[in-house]
Amino acid sequence: MPVGKIFTLVFLKRNNSVLLGLKTRGLGEGLWNGFGGKVEENETVANCARREVEEECGVIASDLKQIGVVRYDLDYDKSADVVHIFTCSKFDGFEKPSEEMNPIKWYKYTDIPFEQMWPDAPKWYPFMLKDKYFSARVIYTDKNTIKDSIIQEFGSLSNALKLAQ
Ligand SMILES: Nc1[nH]c(=O)nc2c1ncn2[C@H]1C[C@H](O)[C@@H](COP(=O)(O)OP(=O)(O)OP(=O)(O)O)O1
């Protein structure tokens, strides 16, 4: 399946909590998620991650670290999306809601609202929360139904990135 869109998704971390926002529009509307969006032309993945965090929750990320990648094969679209997952535990400024993510809320790792998130989230969040490099591949038959998925942990990011290609 050809890769269609490339996205970033960033999780700010503090005191065993992660900052999530409720998406107000577009893809994933009404679901809690990290901050991110489409990688624009002539933009690196890391720069997209930094830009989206600032746009969507108002902080400047200073130690962005890519921790994994998820490839979504969307049977209903005949295309695949790739989402690059980052964590960040140092940032400047105060987090605030935005037009696209409102409200925002710190959730304890043990209290993530999976019932109001994408169905694939519980599969790979444990790796992201533990800072383990990972690669995941998820096949959706429709927007709410996962046909199959595989998640693997890696010792390095470069190996994790190979599975998504
Ligand atoms: N199945 C899925 N599970 C998940 O946890 N996050 C997903 C996902 N599919 C997409 N995402 C993330 C990736 C990205 O951070 C976000 C969607 O990005 P958007 O469509 O909001 O992009 P943009 O902010 O560039 O959009 P616009 O500014 O509205 O054009 O949702």
Side-chain angles (χ1 to χ4, degrees):
M1 229 181 248
V3 172
K5 299 189 207 76
I6 299 183
F7 296 94
T8 57
L9 185 57
V10 182
F11 296 91
L12 300 184
K13 293 178 162 187
R14 184 171 81 190
N15 300 335
N16 289 320
S17 298
V18 62
L19 187 68
L20 301 177
L22 190 63
K23 196 143 189 294
T24 61
R25 61 166 196 232
L27 192 59
E29 181 178 341
L31 303 179
W32 291 94
N33 209 342
F35 305 92
K38 282 188 277 305
V39 179
E40 291 177 357
E41 255 178 69
N42 302 319
E43 183 180 48
T44 64
V45 170
N47 283 345
C48 169
R50 199 170 296 109
R51 174 179 59 74
E52 292 280 355
V53 168
E54 190 178 355
E55 283 174 11
E56 295 186 357
C57 72
V59 305
I60 310 284
S62 60
D63 75 339
L64 273 175
K65 173 186 174 193
Q66 185 165 1
I67 195 71
V69 61
V70 187
R71 179 187 162 124
Y72 296 100
D73 288 312
L74 310 172
D75 277 359
Y76 55 93
D77 236 7
K78 303 260 175 293
S79 77
D81 286 349
V82 170
V83 181
H84 293 276
I85 313 291
F86 290 76
T87 58
C88 169
S89 48
K90 288 196 190 122
F91 46 89
D92 293 313
F94 292 104
E95 63 279 11
K96 57 174 194 290
S98 57
E99 203 194 318
E100 194 165 334
M101 296 299 242
N102 191 3
I104 59 172
K105 188 175 166 190
W106 288 99
Y107 281 98
K108 288 258 168 248
Y109 290 176
T110 48
D111 208 14
I112 309 257
F114 287 119
E115 66 290 347
Q116 202 183 339
M117 295 173 73
W118 284 96
D120 53 275
K123 297 179 183 294
W124 55 265
Y125 267 52
F127 297 87
M128 178 276 290
L129 294 174
K130 284 189 215 132
D131 281 308
K132 303 280 188 202
Y133 293 114
F134 75 93
S135 185
R137 194 162 182 164
V138 183
I139 305 174
Y140 273 93
T141 43
D142 64 56
K143 288 194 172 85
N144 300 309
T145 314
I146 293 175
K147 182 162 88 181
D148 203 2
S149 65
I150 161 174
I151 293 116
Q152 248 181 286
E153 186 183 321
F154 289 89
S156 71
L157 177 65
S158 51
N159 284 333
L161 290 174
K162 285 182 194 151
L163 190 73
Q165 281 152 12

